[in-house]
Amino acid sequence: SDEDVTYAVACVTAFGSLAMFLLPFLGGVLQLDAHVSGLWSGASIHEIAQVVAAAFQHGQQAGEFGTIAKLSRVILLAPLVLALGWFARRAASRKGGDEETQSQVPVPWFVIGFVALVVFNSLVLIPETLKQALIALTAILLTMSLAAMGLETDLRKLRKKGLRPFLLGAMAWLFIVSFSLLAISLFA
């Protein structure tokens, strides 16, 4: 429902904003070097802008590591979502599902479109003026979609959901922050 999506976006934004301030502070307290601090921000914060804001607080090198880690996560989303769709279709066909059941498994068209645009942008030289116009259009369309989602949300329904989804978001965020720091400390 619209309320579920709005609640999820609000949680991601709230915990990402908290992480922008908390991770650099904890990085200092834990005496993390720029490499680990940057990777931690890039691995545990959801939004790119928030990663950049957090990682660069620990210096240029940490900012670069954080940005690369986050962009690596973003680029790996495309093959992951496509693979999950493929596995879901395959599982539906193994269960003896008919074509209608198999067609109910969603095709991630936005991911296919994203990959197509990445390839197009890599192969075709886009004039700088057009590129700047497209960047501005992207910001406008994203703002419009978020505003539309917010305007469609019934705050009474959102309030009825209570604190349980927020607490789930908080626990997930704490797990991601802790697990990513542990993994980076062990393997980086």
Side-chain angles (χ1 to χ4, degrees):
S1 70
D2 289 341
E3 287 77 21
D4 290 339
V5 173
T6 301
Y7 211 134
V9 170
C11 283
V12 167
T13 302
F15 293 119
S17 297
L18 179 62
M20 282 189 330
F21 300 103
L22 191 60
L23 266 59
F25 171 74
L26 289 175
V29 170
L30 297 171
Q31 298 179 347
L32 303 178
D33 63 20
H35 181 243
V36 171
S37 178
L39 289 178
W40 189 28
S41 295
S44 61
I45 300 175
H46 293 295
E47 295 180 8
I48 294 172
Q50 293 171 337
V51 169
V52 170
F56 275 96
Q57 289 182 53
H58 202 83
Q60 179 74 24
Q61 188 179 22
E64 291 171 1
F65 279 119
T67 303
I68 290 169
K70 177 58 185 168
L71 292 177
S72 298
R73 285 176 52 204
V74 169
I75 202 149
L76 291 173
L77 278 175
L80 175 68
V81 170
L82 291 172
L84 288 174
W86 182 79
F87 282 119
R89 279 187 183 278
R90 193 160 178 224
S93 68
R94 276 191 189 160
K95 289 182 179 179
D98 54 7
E99 286 186 34
E100 182 181 332
T101 304
Q102 292 178 33
S103 68
Q104 290 175 354
V105 177
V107 175
W109 292 110
F110 72 97
V111 174
I112 294 168
F114 174 78
V115 171
L117 288 174
V118 167
V119 170
F120 178 80
N121 189 44
S122 299
L123 299 175
V124 177
L125 183 61
I126 299 173
E128 191 61 33
T129 54
L130 178 59
K131 191 179 282 190
Q132 292 306 318
L134 290 173
I135 289 170
L137 178 63
T138 300
I140 291 168
L141 292 175
L142 181 60
T143 302
M144 287 174 54
S145 65
L146 289 174
M149 185 173 56
L151 291 171
E152 281 289 314
T153 302
D154 185 346
L155 292 178
R156 292 172 297 209
K157 288 181 183 177
L158 198 58
R159 205 172 302 125
K160 280 184 184 178
K161 295 205 179 288
L163 285 177
R164 288 185 68 191
F166 183 80
L167 293 175
L168 176 63
M171 297 303 291
W173 177 72
L174 287 171
F175 173 77
I176 291 167
V177 166
S178 303
F179 182 78
S180 60
L181 180 59
L182 176 67
I184 292 164
S185 298
L186 291 174
F187 301 111

